[in-house]
Amino acid sequence: MFKFSRSQLYYTLIRWCWVLLLATGLAACTKKQQNEQSLPPSLPPLPQDPLLQVYFNHSLTSSYTEPYRQQTRPGDDLEQQIVRAVQNAVSTADVAVQEFRLPGIARALADRARSGIKVRLIVENLYTRPWSDYTPQELAKLPERERDRYSEFVKLADVDRDGKLSPAEIEQNDALVIVKKAGIPVIDDTADGSKGSGLMHHKFVVIDGKTVIVTSANFTTSDIHGDFKSSESRGNANNLLKIESDRLAQLFTEEFNIMWGDGPGGKPDSKFGIKKPFRQVQKLKVGDAEVAVQFSPVSQTVPWENSPNGSINKSLAVAKQSVDLALFVFSDQQLANTLEKESRQGVGVRALIDSNFIYRSYSEGLDMMGVTAMENCQLEAENRPWKQPLTSVGTPQLPKGDRLHHKFGVVDTNRVITGSHNWSAAANRNNDETLLVIESPVVAAHFQREFDRLYQGAILGLPARIKQRIDARKKECDSLKTASKSATVAGGNTANQPPIAPKNLINLNTASREELETLPGVGPKLAEKIIAARKQQPFASLEDVSRVSGVGVKLLDRWRDRVTF
């Protein structure tokens, strides 16, 4: 037998205790890692229509590991859905997307192009230039929002994390560099000889003339996966539909070909915006589902009832039981009026709108809550707050930095309105957009579940801080109106006169470049962009100004009491 002294026994026991503690800790750590990798879904998956499948990047029925941040998180990998479709292409792959920045999709397209597949790409003219093409001097002049976007690209492309981008890192990770190096032709909405449509806002892919992908997401990390500056970010809430239909693919290919024309270097026969021919709603069967598709924009000469917003209106007008909306922007007064009528007739209406837009003066979310907000002491044209306000309108609580980027509505749990088309006049009359209306309880169930997920825990009603801000502005406008009347009486002029406007307002539709540069955050380059944009289409609200590259929400808030139209 071995003999141990008391001290030897004591230290032996101590060592064994440490071993046990270490083993227990390692086991717990390993178990935690395994749980994080598997991330069992918190909801069972719903049945998918074999010809019309639906995915959400915030879904609670699945999980995936992001290809760039290497984080395992809940949700469907929308990028991978696109990549797989491209990888299966045997003849053609057409992509029309506002912004194209994801290298995974770029590599898949490049691979197909090198194998002899015909690949074409259309983007918005604001996003035609590769990020790596910008000089330090140009980057320094970019607005804060654009510099943040460039920083996201650097974090994505800087694989060795040395703070610098090597030529190899650029070639492998700058999406536009990848596709152009592969010889893939790229055009934007200036190919028709104009300065561009309102926005080339499409987000669709057509593969082999039979598979169509339509999504609300741009091909960027922030729209699909999440922001690099925040590990909590899960990307803007977006959806994707993958549809197998030769006839639907034909309609999308026609839209693509109208915009493409002869392609790069060809005749200026591309058509974007209202130059495109007007086409009525096209309806077709996809298996058991009925799908209606219409493309924006339509000119002012086309009656509103025949426009995409008119098509949305027709779907809302037949609601019998419920209408649930998850919208990035909602600013079309006529749609809100129809919803008010439906609500008075007993239809349950719920609406979630992105927090950056819901409380703006032009937001129909305010109308639905029975609230009126003034901008520059003026009401929105035909403004009509609801006489019976809803308490079921609000904004979802998302991870910091993420936006509600959906553009969908669910009617009677059977009909889905979706696509790239925001519910606004700009989408209807200016932008290249896709609108889909799908009759299918199977498809609608997926969108209904997404709405319910967003609605749970949403901030409903008007927050106190927003009410205080609206009340303060109304009080200020009332004071200006009183001062105007006093000035009229003192001057002995009883003619009707407009209220005195706040001093030094800049009219964004008429101001010179020098006057625009007096606004916060506006330099010569941004002033020129504003002037170019208003030449295409005069601004009617701050929402319209947001289409200008470099003008973000923070900048608009700084301008709110300084500009007019």
Side-chain angles (χ1 to χ4, degrees):
M1 292 185 60
F2 295 97
K3 293 183 179 181
F4 294 92
S5 66
R6 182 175 295 179
S7 61
Q8 288 175 319
L9 182 60
Y10 174 80
Y11 285 114
T12 299
L13 289 172
I14 289 293
R15 283 196 297 270
W16 276 108
C17 284
W18 276 111
V19 170
L20 287 171
L21 284 171
L22 181 61
T24 302
L26 287 172
C29 182
T30 301
K31 184 177 181 180
K32 182 175 183 292
Q33 289 177 336
Q34 290 173 342
N35 288 339
E36 289 177 347
Q37 290 300 315
S38 58
L39 280 175
S42 58
L43 291 173
L46 293 170
Q48 289 271 24
D49 185 310
L51 299 180
L52 211 167
Q53 299 180 352
V54 191
Y55 302 93
F56 299 92
N57 64 330
H58 284 216
S59 172
L60 296 179
T61 66
S62 60
S63 63
Y64 74 98
T65 300
E66 295 177 13
Y68 307 112
R69 296 188 297 178
Q70 295 300 314
Q71 291 184 175
T72 301
R73 39 72 65 88
D76 297 326
D77 188 345
L78 304 189
E79 181 180 11
Q80 189 59 28
Q81 290 296 329
I82 299 167
V83 167
R84 286 173 183 162
V86 171
Q87 289 174 335
N88 290 330
V90 296
S91 59
T92 60
D94 290 333
V95 179
V97 63
Q98 180 186 6
E99 187 171 7
F100 184 87
R101 303 293 187 189
L102 290 176
I105 299 175
R107 295 184 199 115
L109 289 171
D111 178 72
R112 293 287 77 203
R114 292 189 184 102
S115 70
I117 299 300
K118 182 182 179 181
V119 180
R120 300 183 293 177
L121 174 61
I122 301 175
V123 297
E124 156 65 27
N125 75 83
L126 300 174
Y127 306 112
T128 307
R129 193 174 174 188
W131 276 124
S132 58
D133 192 38
Y134 283 78
T135 66
Q137 293 76 16
E138 289 174 317
L139 292 170
K141 294 178 182 179
L142 289 177
E144 180 182 0
R145 180 188 178 197
E146 295 302 300
R147 290 199 301 270
D148 285 345
R149 290 154 64 86
Y150 176 78
S151 177
E152 285 283 305
F153 160 69
V154 171
K155 290 177 181 177
L156 180 154
D158 185 17
V159 178
D160 60 12
R161 300 294 182 260
D162 65 352
K164 302 176 183 178
L165 295 183
S166 67
E169 287 174 327
I170 290 172
E171 289 184 3
Q172 294 169 11
N173 296 291
D174 192 327
L176 289 174
V177 170
I178 293 170
V179 297
K180 290 178 180 179
K181 186 178 178 182
I184 296 172
V186 182
I187 68 167
D188 60 46
D189 52 323
T190 63
D192 60 359
S194 72
K195 293 184 178 180
S197 58
L199 282 176
M200 205 304 294
H201 200 247
H202 278 310
K203 300 135 192 350
F204 71 77
V205 180
V206 184
I207 303 295
D208 294 341
K210 64 179 182 180
T211 302
V212 178
I213 289 176
V214 180
T215 177
S216 60
N218 287 304
F219 295 0
T220 64
T221 52
S222 62
D223 241 12
I224 288 184
H225 300 299
D227 301 329
F228 280 82
K229 63 184 177 182
S230 172
S231 61
E232 301 302 314
S233 171
R234 295 293 175 261
N236 300 331
N238 278 300
N239 62 80
L240 179 148
L241 297 99
K242 182 182 177 184
I243 308 171
E244 300 293 341
S245 166
D246 294 355
R247 175 60 183 144
L248 187 66
Q250 180 184 351
L251 293 174
F252 274 87
T253 300
E254 288 174 0
E255 169 73 358
F256 191 96
N257 286 340
I258 289 170
M259 296 186 292
W260 187 260
D262 288 332
K267 299 176 182 179
D269 57 357
S270 294
K271 293 181 175 65
F272 289 89
I274 59 173
K275 292 183 178 181
K276 296 185 302 187
F278 169 69
R279 284 150 292 164
Q280 296 276 3
V281 175
Q282 298 290 318
K283 295 183 179 180
L284 60 148
K285 293 286 289 185
V286 179
D288 295 329
E290 183 178 280
V291 178
V293 59
Q294 190 171 17
F295 299 108
S296 307
V298 296
S299 74
Q300 296 289 347
T301 61
V302 175
W304 184 86
E305 292 75 15
N306 296 334
S307 72
N309 280 2
S311 296
I312 294 173
N313 196 61
K314 290 170 186 173
S315 289
L316 299 178
V318 297
K320 302 299 182 185
Q321 299 174 331
S322 63
V323 174
D324 289 331
L325 310 178
L327 304 172
F328 184 51
V329 179
F330 185 19
S331 59
D332 189 299
Q333 185 69 53
Q334 290 171 271
L335 296 180
N337 294 346
T338 296
L339 284 171
E340 183 184 18
K341 179 181 178 181
E342 295 294 297
S343 178
R344 289 201 307 265
Q345 293 175 349
V347 174
V349 177
R350 299 185 294 176
L352 296 175
I353 302 169
D354 183 67
S355 60
N356 274 349
F357 292 101
I358 186 171
Y359 309 124
R360 298 187 180 276
S361 60
Y362 54 76
S363 170
E364 300 310 323
L366 291 182
D367 276 20
M368 298 169 83
M369 291 186 277
V371 176
T372 297
M374 290 186 174
E375 189 169 303
N376 298 321
C377 295
Q378 295 180 349
L379 290 176
E380 178 195 20
E382 301 180 356
N383 183 72
R384 196 169 91 181
W386 289 20
K387 294 180 180 179
Q388 298 177 13
L390 296 182
T391 58
S392 53
V393 177
T395 189
Q397 297 195 67
L398 298 171
K400 184 178 179 181
D402 291 349
R403 308 254 58 91
L404 176 65
H405 202 243
H406 288 305
K407 303 98 171 48
F408 76 76
V410 183
V411 179
D412 292 339
T413 68
N414 181 67
R415 175 180 298 186
V416 175
I417 307 163
T418 189
S420 69
H421 186 100
N422 286 309
W423 292 24
S424 68
N428 203 40
R429 299 295 191 181
N430 299 326
N431 299 347
D432 298 293
E433 306 270 12
T434 299
L435 177 71
L436 292 177
V437 179
I438 303 169
E439 296 272 2
S440 165
V442 175
V443 172
H446 289 265
F447 282 90
Q448 189 67 56
R449 175 179 276 188
E450 172 70 356
F451 178 87
D452 292 341
R453 181 191 70 80
L454 291 163
Y455 194 78
Q456 185 175 9
I459 300 171
L460 301 178
L462 195 69
R465 61 182 176 82
I466 303 298
K467 185 178 186 305
Q468 290 172 1
R469 190 173 75 189
I470 291 174
D471 289 346
R473 283 182 181 163
K474 184 178 185 301
K475 185 177 180 180
E476 179 185 356
C477 291
D478 288 344
S479 298
L480 291 167
K481 186 176 181 180
T482 301
S484 176
K485 288 181 179 178
S486 299
T488 299
V489 171
N493 184 358
T494 58
N496 292 329
Q497 296 183 3
I500 296 175
K503 295 181 180 179
N504 301 322
L505 288 181
I506 301 296
N507 189 317
L508 292 180
N509 287 318
T510 60
S512 66
R513 194 183 77 173
E514 291 74 19
E515 289 173 324
L516 290 171
E517 289 178 29
T518 65
L519 291 171
V522 178
K525 188 173 182 180
L526 184 54
E528 289 176 1
K529 289 183 179 180
I530 293 171
I531 292 170
R534 77 191 188 195
K535 287 180 179 178
Q536 299 175 38
Q537 182 75 28
F539 303 120
S541 67
L542 283 178
E543 178 200 16
D544 289 348
V545 190
S546 66
R547 73 176 187 257
V548 179
S549 174
V551 176
V553 173
K554 292 182 180 179
L555 203 56
L556 290 177
D557 282 338
R558 296 173 68 188
W559 296 354
R560 186 169 297 280
D561 298 319
R562 298 171 181 256
V563 301
T564 187
F565 306 95

